[in-house]
Amino acid sequence: IFISFVVGLAVFALSVISSHLNAPGPYFIDSSRALGKFGPLLSANQVIARRDANIKIKLKFYDDSLAKLMDSAAHHRGLPEMELINLESNVLRHEMTDSVARETEALVASASDSFNVMAALFSKKEGIPVLFGSSGNTVVFGTGTRADKTDDLLRFMGVKNE
């Protein structure tokens, strides 16, 4: 009886170890690295940079014109007109920057959704039930280990590794 108990316990221990070694995961990707090479997000960042540059040019031109108007108002008109011009300029400045901020938010949201779809397709193809994201990597998972699927995801996305 003792021998069958020991053999049964050994078989149980081997089956637990075997199932643990064959179990998928946990797997992770370095989200910062993957997103930094994701085409739609790179494109969105370029569009955002161009819009930021345009708004800075418009605001500089606007501020220069406003300064001239304020100088003129200070010499020829009273304080109430200057306060009104200042108030109107603040409203216009806010409208300009707010519209760009909303467009930026929409672009980034669209690119992020696209990345999530890509990560889901990759996980499905690889048979990974849960793929964790790690910003800048962590000690918990470890870069370059069997659990790090960043390079595999980049290859799946068609990105050449540096």
Side-chain angles (χ1 to χ4, degrees):
I1 294 179
F2 179 72
I3 293 176
S4 26
F5 175 76
V6 170
V7 170
L9 189 60
V11 168
F12 175 75
L14 286 174
S15 67
V16 167
I17 291 171
S18 175
S19 68
H20 178 69
L21 291 176
N22 293 331
Y27 296 115
F28 80 102
I29 57 166
D30 184 343
S31 302
S32 301
R33 195 167 138 228
L35 284 168
K37 295 182 185 246
F38 186 57
L41 188 59
L42 294 173
S43 297
N45 285 338
Q46 290 170 349
V47 168
I48 291 166
R50 282 194 301 273
R51 288 184 181 162
D52 280 348
N54 285 339
I55 198 95
K56 284 179 184 176
I57 290 168
K58 288 179 181 177
L59 284 173
K60 178 162 179 15
F61 180 75
Y62 180 74
D63 287 341
D64 290 346
S65 298
L66 183 62
K68 290 175 186 171
L69 181 63
M70 294 291 264
D71 284 345
S72 175
H75 291 301
H76 303 292
R77 298 183 186 132
L79 188 61
E81 287 87 4
M82 287 182 59
E83 288 176 350
L84 181 60
I85 291 169
N86 190 36
L87 180 63
E88 288 176 353
S89 72
N90 287 337
V91 169
L92 180 64
R93 184 177 282 110
H94 174 72
E95 287 174 355
M96 287 171 59
T97 56
D98 189 49
S99 66
V100 170
R102 277 185 266 123
E103 291 173 16
T104 297
E105 187 177 315
L107 279 170
V108 171
S110 175
S112 295
D113 290 345
S114 180
F115 179 78
N116 289 338
V117 168
M118 182 68 71
L121 290 172
F122 167 76
S123 296
K124 185 175 182 179
K125 177 187 167 281
E126 295 290 318
I128 299 172
V130 177
L131 182 65
F132 294 99
S134 170
S135 183
N137 205 349
T138 64
V139 175
V140 175
F141 298 113
T143 301
T145 64
R146 179 174 80 79
D148 185 352
K149 294 293 183 183
T150 308
D151 289 334
D152 295 336
L153 176 63
L154 291 174
R155 276 191 295 279
F156 180 78
M157 292 186 320
V159 174
K160 293 188 173 150
N161 291 330
E162 65 282 356

